[in-house]
Amino acid sequence: MTDTRGAREVNFDGLVGPTHNYAGLSLGNRASMTNAGAVASPRRAARQGLAKMRRLLDLGLTQAVLPPHQRPDPMALQALGFTPGTPLADVAAVAPSLPAVLMSASPMWAANAATVSPSADTTDERVHLTPANLSSTTHRSFEPAQTTAILRAIFADRDRFAVHDPLPPAPAFADEGAANHGRLAREHGTAGTQLFVYGREADEPASAAGFPRRQTRLAGQLIARSHGLHPARVHHVRQAPAAIDAGAFHNDVVSVVNTDVVLTHELAFADGPAVAERLPGARVVVVPDGRVPLDDAISSYLFNSQLVTVPDGRMLLIAPAEVEATPSTAAWAADAVADPDNPIDGVEILDLRESMRNGGGPACLRLRVVLTERERAALSGGVLADAGLLDRLEGWVDDHYRDQLEADDLLDPALEDEAHRALDALTGILGLPGLYPFQR
Ligand code: SUG
């Protein structure tokens, strides 16, 4: 038997990288499409992310950080036929759209980094992680190589962790990681039931009609098998096409799970909320469309809140400020807290505007990894956060990040140099030497 002592959910938040910008790269992600070309503030974005981590830490939760990627990725440049180091102005001369694709800070949305199975669920009693191939969007298709290297650096202990290769980047295997995955368990450390949510079958086209269906059922089936999950504790559920077409490009835009609670919009699943109610042991909270219209759910990111259990046992919804600013979601949240039958005991509001404008809310920014005490001790590098680490990271952001970034700035060769200096300093802070390609 695994030693499940001290099992806790650790939220690994993606540190926002120094090239955060609004390039309108994600078809089907309404915020990304609407804000294309807006002026971004990498410094404010990174500070907002760190403030979220601090709030969770102050609530008594366990917080960790995932470093950003090197941009542009030299392996991506090489794959496209450019010598690494080629000025992006020369790349732009071939295809003006490429610099934005190569400079995106999209790895900040750590919920898309991988699918994770805790040791309590797996036959070999190791924690299994499969980096997502993110093959459905051009800019994110470059993430898996660095994500795999970063996860292998942090989860290096092979006796306790297995970091798989991403699935091949073919349409049949399209995988977006934990954003389409939930885990139900009475407590984090007990054996759980895993919910894999998909938008299409492997042989269906990604976008015959409407917005792209980014995840296949086959991807979830292959991951469940390679993680060694018990088939009886795996469920595959289809997203409602209408929800995807309304802008729920990932299921975590319309549903969230914590322990045995599933909080979901009435219109999230193709077969209706009854599919969630059939999950063994689930306490399902359905938000009716009549109460919170799907459009409000998607623009406010109510369901992209983090649903967490704090050490005194209360369940809190860590919600973006947009939930407070949207009348239907604000009213629903107030009623949920007042209702003794609703498991949500309180709502905490966060300003994540910089990330939200690219379609990334609180839940997008974190990868949940349930780890026992021994597994936490086996992590490599100093990625587990305390107040001191967050202080250092804030100082680091202030030293290295620009206050403003817009499309033309991506061609500025100085930006790449600044980013390298920042990442070089970061590997020192996190104790992960040689993490980045430019350091090897
Ligand atoms: O994949 N946005 C991301 C947002 C990911 C949100 N994650 C979760 N729901 N878990 C995406 O669409 C926009 C980049 C731009 O347009 O500049 C972007 O990649």
Side-chain angles (χ1 to χ4, degrees), residues 67 150 153-154 380-383 426-436 439:
I150 289 170
I154 296 171
S380 302
V383 294
L426 180 65
T427 53
I429 296 173
L430 297 180
L432 292 169
L435 187 67
Y436 291 108
Q439 294 174 313

Side-chain angles (χ1 to χ4, degrees), residues 23-26 29 32 109 112 139-140 179 214 250 252 358-359 364:
L25 299 174
S26 285
N29 169 344
S32 156
W109 299 298
N112 304 114
H139 64 300
R140 303 206 69 179
R214 292 199 197 179
H250 292 136
D252 70 2
N358 252 337
C364 299

